[in-house]
Amino acid sequence: MKRIAIVGAGQSGLQLAHGLLAAGYQVTLFSDHSADEILEGRVRSSQCMFDSALEIERDLNLNHWEEQCPKVEGVSFTVPDGIGGSSIDWAARLDNFAQSIDQRLKIPRWLAQFEGRGGKLRIKAAGPEDLAECARTHDLVIVASGKGALGQLFERDPTRSPFSQAQRALALTYVTGMQSRVPYSAVCFNLIPNVGEYFVFPALTTSGPCEIMVFEGVRGGPMDCWFGNLTPAVHLARSKQILETFLPWESARCRNLELTDDNGILSGCVVPTVRNPVAKVAGLPILGMADAVVLNDPITGQGSNNATRCAEIYLEAILERGDGPADAEWMQQTFDRYWAGYAKWVTEWTNLLLRPPAHVLRLLDCAGKNPAIASAFVNGFDDPRTLFPWFTDPVEADKFIQREAETVAERFDRRDFRRALGQFATGVTVVTARASDGRKIGVTVNSFSSVSLNPPLILWSLARQAPSFADFTSCTHFAVNVLEAKQHHLSRQFSTPWPDKFAGVDFAEGKAGVPIMSGAIAQFVCRKVKQYDGGDHVIFLGEVEEYKYSDGEPLVFHSGRYRIATHHPDIAD
C-alpha cells in the first residue's frame, strides 16, 4: 500500500497527504480549486481549532501562523433574559489556547508544500469516473470531500443520523473593528432560546487579525434570514441588526464594524449526517473520511478539530497496515477506530446541543456559580470525550454538580492541582484483566510504578468512579501493558467510555485469561495480592508472575500531552 489517492484538499485530506508524504508514500491529491482560486475566493469555514488539534499540526510542521494568529484563551457563555440583560453569564479559561486561521491562508500554503515535498496535485473536481480510475491505479482511495455526487456514494447511516433536515440556518461574517473582549480573548457563545446561537472569536485572515461572527438560526425563526444571495453590505447589516435586537452587549462591541473583504461572508445550512464509510466504484472499495462520512452542525465548533483527529487516526492505521491490502474490512475497522476514538462523542455532544434538554441548561447555569463546572465544560471543546457521561445523562449531571460543589471548600483547586501533578512526566500503560463474567476489561493508566524486586511487586491506582472499578476490585489477575510511542491511539481508546474497548485490538491470552496487548514494549502479568484505600482512588499491588519486553520508544505523557522520549543532548550515550 504505497500509492494513495486522496480526493478533497481541505483540512483532513491535506493533513493526511502531508503525513503520508513524510512516511514515504506516493500521494495523488485532487483539489477542486487551485491555490490562487482559494486565496481569492469566499471564506470556507470558521475553523476554530483547539489545542489537541493544533498539536497535531505542530507535529507535522504545518503550524506556520502560530505567532501571527490571535490566541483564543477561553470560552464565555451567555443566555439573555429577554429584557435586555442576561440570565446566565460566565467565562472560563482554556488550559491551552485555541486559534483560527482562515483556510484561504492555510490551504494554498499547504498545497504548495505538498507539491514541494513531492506530492502529485491534480486541480480537478473529481467525479465517480475519476475515483474508478484511481481505484484501479492506486492501492488506496480516500474521499475527503462530501460535495456533489461524491457524498452520495456513501450511504446514510440512519442509526447514527437522528436528523433528516438541517436544524439551523448558518452564516459567517468576517469583520474588523470589533472591540476586543476583556480581560482575555474568548469564544463568546450566546444561546438565545427559540431563536438560535451566536458565537464570535478572534482569528487570522488574509488581511491580518479579524473576528469571525457565527450565526446559527433556528429554522423558521428570526435568525433564519440568510437566503437570497445577500450582498456583502446587506449581510453585514443583517448581522448587526440581529445583535442589536437580541444581544445588546455584543452589539456594543460592533459600532465600528467592517467586513474584512467582500468574500468574508458565507451562508447555508448543514444536515447532520453519519454515512457508512466504505463504498464501491467499479467493484473496488474506497474509504470516506471526516466530513464526507461524519458531518456535524458547527454549533460546537468541531469541524476542523474532527477533521484533524480523523486524519491523524487514518494515518496511524495506514502506517500500521504496512504491506497489507486496503480491503473493505480494513477500511471499516479504520473508520470504527475513528468513530470510537473521537467522532462518536463529538456527534452525540453536538446533536445534544441542537436540542438541549433541561439538565444541560441546569449544568450551564451551575457553571456560573462553580468555576470547576465551567472549566470542565470549556475544556471539553478540546476533547469532547471528557464531557461524558456527566454532560449527556441527567443522573450523572446531578452527581457531577454535587461532586464539584464539594470541591469548593477544598484546600486546592482540583483542576489546578492536576496541572501541577502533570508536570511529572510518566509512561503510559493499559491495564487489562478478565471480569468475573469473562468480559475483557481495560483502562489507560499512568500511575504504574515498580515497588520491589524481591518479591517482584508493582502497583497502580484506579478511580473509584471508573466504570470498571468493581471488575478490577474483584479480579484475581491483571496485566500491565506499557505502550510504545506509536500506540497513543490505544491510550485514547482505553480512556474512552466505549462498550467494547478491545474492538480492533490485537491481543493474546495470558494467565487466568488476562488479555495481553500486541505491540506493547513491555508486559507484566500479575497476581493481585493487595488493594489499599487511596482517597478517591484504590491502589492495586500486584506480584509479577510473567513478563516480557522488547526494544522500542515509550509513549510519554507530560502536562496533558503525549510526548516522545529523546536522548538528552548534554549526556553521552
Side-chain angles (χ1 to χ4, degrees):
M1 190 163 56
K2 296 297 289 185
R3 297 165 301 171
I4 297 177
I6 301 173
V7 178
Q11 177 73 37
S12 62
L14 255 173
Q15 180 188 312
L16 176 60
H18 277 280
L20 290 169
L21 281 181
Y25 287 77
Q26 300 171 27
V27 185
T28 301
L29 179 68
F30 285 79
S31 174
D32 55 0
H33 293 93
S34 69
D36 287 342
E37 289 172 335
I38 294 169
L39 179 64
E40 297 168 2
R42 180 166 287 192
V43 294
R44 297 178 154 218
S45 65
S46 55
Q47 74 277 316
C48 186
M49 297 180 65
F50 294 89
D51 179 65
S52 296
L54 293 175
E55 188 73 2
I56 295 169
E57 288 191 351
R58 294 183 189 110
D59 290 342
L60 292 170
N61 296 314
L62 296 172
N63 61 321
H64 306 300
W65 302 269
E66 189 160 312
E67 297 305 317
Q68 307 101 287
C69 184
K71 293 178 172 59
V72 180
E73 300 176 82
V75 177
S76 70
F77 185 83
T78 308
V79 177
D81 60 10
I83 54 174
S86 57
S87 59
I88 299 176
D89 187 8
W90 54 263
R93 288 186 180 271
L94 292 161
D95 288 346
N96 296 289
F97 65 83
Q99 287 185 312
S100 173
I101 297 148
D102 189 339
Q103 291 196 343
R104 295 180 298 176
L105 278 177
K106 177 183 284 189
I107 300 303
R109 175 83 178 264
W110 283 11
L111 284 173
Q113 277 186 266
F114 173 75
E115 286 194 289
R117 292 173 175 176
K120 181 180 179 181
L121 178 63
R122 296 188 62 184
I123 308 300
K124 182 178 183 182
E129 66 283 356
D130 298 295
L131 295 184
E133 175 63 23
C134 286
R136 288 190 290 267
T137 58
H138 291 73
D139 302 310
L140 171 63
V141 177
I142 296 176
V143 176
S145 171
K147 295 179 181 178
L150 296 186
Q152 303 308 311
L153 292 172
F154 301 94
E155 294 183 1
R156 177 177 179 270
D157 184 345
T159 64
R160 294 172 172 172
S161 306
F163 304 118
S164 57
Q165 298 179 335
Q167 299 300 295
R168 296 289 189 273
L170 308 172
L172 299 180
T173 313
Y174 279 49
V175 297
T176 58
M178 184 180 294
Q179 183 179 341
S180 299
R181 182 192 181 276
V182 292
Y184 56 86
S185 63
V187 177
C188 299
F189 190 98
N190 299 264
L191 189 158
I192 313 166
N194 304 315
V195 175
E197 299 80 25
Y198 165 77
F199 49 101
V200 60
F201 47 87
L204 182 70
T205 188
T206 54
S207 56
C210 70
E211 302 273 347
I212 301 179
M213 308 166 74
V214 184
F215 297 88
E216 294 239 344
V218 172
R219 301 310 304 270
M223 274 175 60
D224 186 0
C225 58
W226 302 104
F227 301 100
N229 295 318
L230 306 182
T231 66
V234 171
H235 184 106
L236 176 61
R238 196 155 292 181
S239 302
K240 295 170 70 174
Q241 181 184 11
I242 289 171
L243 300 187
E244 291 170 2
T245 304
F246 298 105
L247 303 169
W249 51 88
E250 294 288 0
S251 178
R253 300 171 58 198
C254 300
R255 293 190 177 96
N256 301 312
L257 221 58
E258 294 182 0
L259 287 175
T260 57
D261 61 290
D262 283 348
N263 284 324
I265 61 172
L266 188 68
S267 61
C269 58
V270 168
V271 181
T273 307
V274 178
R275 299 183 179 277
N276 294 324
V278 183
K280 285 194 174 183
V281 292
L284 297 171
I286 60 173
L287 174 63
M289 75 178 296
D291 282 357
V293 288
V294 180
L295 181 63
N296 288 309
D297 189 281
I299 191 171
T300 53
Q302 291 296 306
S304 291
N305 299 274
N306 198 37
T308 299
R309 296 296 188 101
C310 184
E312 179 194 36
I313 292 170
Y314 277 27
L315 177 61
E316 291 172 349
I318 292 169
L319 298 183
E320 289 174 12
R321 189 65 167 174
D323 295 329
D327 53 26
E329 181 181 6
W330 173 84
M331 291 180 181
Q332 183 66 53
Q333 290 174 351
T334 298
F335 174 81
D336 290 343
R337 176 191 289 190
Y338 160 57
W339 178 256
Y342 196 76
K344 173 187 185 298
W345 316 102
V346 172
T347 299
E348 187 171 340
W349 176 47
T350 302
N351 290 343
L352 187 75
L353 281 184
L354 287 170
R355 295 180 180 177
H359 80 270
V360 167
L361 297 177
R362 187 169 69 255
L363 276 167
L364 296 174
D365 181 44
C366 289
K369 306 175 180 68
N370 188 329
I373 297 175
S375 182
F377 173 68
V378 163
N379 284 284
F381 281 84
D382 182 49
D383 188 349
R385 295 170 301 176
T386 64
L387 299 171
F388 290 78
W390 60 269
F391 197 81
T392 58
D393 182 274
V395 174
E396 293 295 331
D398 288 339
K399 291 180 181 178
F400 181 76
I401 291 170
Q402 178 62 33
R403 187 166 66 248
E404 295 304 322
E406 294 171 357
T407 68
V408 173
E410 291 181 355
R411 178 171 43 177
F412 301 131
D413 176 89
R414 183 182 299 178
R415 194 173 193 91
D416 192 61
F417 182 51
R418 186 182 294 118
R419 283 196 288 268
L421 293 173
Q423 291 300 100
F424 180 65
T426 70
V428 184
T429 72
V430 171
V431 179
T432 54
R434 285 279 180 182
S436 57
D437 60 2
R439 287 179 295 109
K440 300 184 295 294
I441 57 174
V443 63
T444 301
V445 169
N446 69 339
S447 57
F448 165 69
S449 178
S450 61
V451 175
S452 168
L453 293 177
N454 187 21
L457 300 176
I458 59 93
L459 64 77
W460 63 284
S461 63
L462 180 66
R464 294 181 183 275
Q465 295 169 349
S468 56
F469 177 77
D471 293 322
F472 276 109
T473 56
S474 61
C475 70
T476 61
H477 288 74
F478 58 79
V480 178
N481 304 270
V482 181
L483 297 187
E484 196 262 345
K486 295 179 181 178
Q487 292 181 306
H488 46 91
H489 67 281
L490 293 179
S491 172
R492 292 193 301 268
Q493 183 165 328
F494 280 85
S495 63
T496 301
W498 186 246
D500 183 11
K501 294 184 179 182
F502 285 83
V505 178
D506 292 331
F507 66 92
E509 288 194 1
K511 183 171 287 190
V514 171
I516 302 174
M517 296 170 60
S518 302
I521 59 174
Q523 299 135 335
F524 303 90
V525 179
C526 306
R527 176 178 61 87
K528 187 175 68 180
V529 293
K530 285 187 180 180
Q531 55 192 50
Y532 301 93
D533 175 62
D536 58 7
H537 281 57
V538 163
I539 301 166
F540 295 96
L541 185 69
E543 182 171 354
V544 179
E545 296 187 338
E546 298 175 355
Y547 74 91
K548 62 180 180 178
Y549 64 95
S550 60
D551 293 333
E553 295 295 331
L555 181 62
V556 178
F557 196 71
H558 171 257
S559 192
R561 293 175 178 170
Y562 295 112
R563 311 285 183 175
I564 297 174
T566 60
H567 295 293
H568 197 290
D570 296 334
I571 301 174
D573 290 342

